Amino acid sequence: MNESLISLIGIYFLGYFKFIAGPILVPAAGFGVGTTIFITVSSMMSSVFIFTLIGKKFKKKLLLRFRKKKPVFTSRNRKIVTVWKKYGEIGIAFLTPLILTPIGGTLILVSFGSKKRRIYFHMFWSALFWATIFSFSIDKLLQIPILNSLLG
């Protein structure tokens, strides 16, 4: 296999867990904006599809394995519920690439009982929006001569 294809596959799998991996690592591997957006969106959506399908089962297993006497209403949980009450699925999907991970955002939407079709739709537009913003921003930053000389 080609080295560039192997690096793209590795970046694709990293994107399952952290959205920003795609927009940072794909240009570092020498690919353009289009490839960056495609790899970033496809890796996030693959993660969303997998964890939407196994989300409830995964959450139960995870809770059984790691459940300790933790308080239910932590400050993090309160913030998530506040975002959910104010903005709903759209707010969680919008914040997923920025604050949450693709897995975290998907599990939150699944746990609040969102329909799979709506999860896929909202996560897709969010991934496409943020991948485009990040990809073009990083591309423009790499065109600055001093930054390009430091990195290249």
Side-chain angles (χ1 to χ4, degrees):
M1 279 175 87
N2 194 353
E3 268 186 49
S4 60
L5 183 60
I6 293 171
S7 65
L8 280 179
I9 291 170
I11 295 166
Y12 171 80
F13 285 117
L14 277 173
Y16 272 34
F17 306 104
K18 203 63 179 162
F19 181 82
I20 196 69
I24 290 176
L25 296 176
V26 174
F31 293 96
V33 173
T35 307
T36 304
I37 292 170
F38 177 75
I39 293 295
T40 304
V41 171
S42 61
S43 66
M44 178 170 160
M45 289 311 296
S46 297
S47 175
V48 168
F49 284 128
I50 290 169
F51 284 93
T52 300
L53 296 174
I54 64 169
K56 289 185 180 180
K57 295 174 189 168
F58 181 77
K59 188 178 174 190
K60 282 183 184 177
K61 294 282 184 187
L62 192 68
L63 286 176
L64 289 175
R65 176 171 276 180
F66 296 109
R67 187 147 201 159
K68 295 179 183 173
K69 294 286 184 178
K70 291 183 181 177
V72 176
F73 295 107
T74 62
S75 63
R76 182 176 180 205
N77 289 346
R78 284 189 185 114
K79 289 176 187 173
I80 291 170
V81 170
T82 302
V83 170
W84 176 260
K85 284 183 177 179
K86 281 187 177 179
Y87 307 108
E89 296 166 340
I90 295 170
I92 298 293
F94 185 78
L95 292 175
T96 292
L98 295 175
I99 299 171
L100 308 166
T101 63
I103 297 170
T106 304
L107 290 177
I108 288 170
L109 289 175
V110 167
S111 66
F112 278 114
S114 296
K115 295 187 185 306
K116 290 178 187 175
R117 176 182 263 175
R118 293 180 58 84
I119 293 173
Y120 299 149
F121 173 72
H122 290 304
M123 291 300 226
F124 178 73
W125 70 255
S126 176
L128 191 60
F129 175 77
W130 287 113
T132 304
I133 297 287
F134 288 149
S135 298
F136 280 109
S137 298
I138 290 171
D139 185 54
K140 291 296 180 191
L141 284 173
L142 290 176
Q143 290 177 4
I144 298 172
I146 194 162
L147 289 176
N148 198 8
S149 66
L150 287 173
L151 298 173

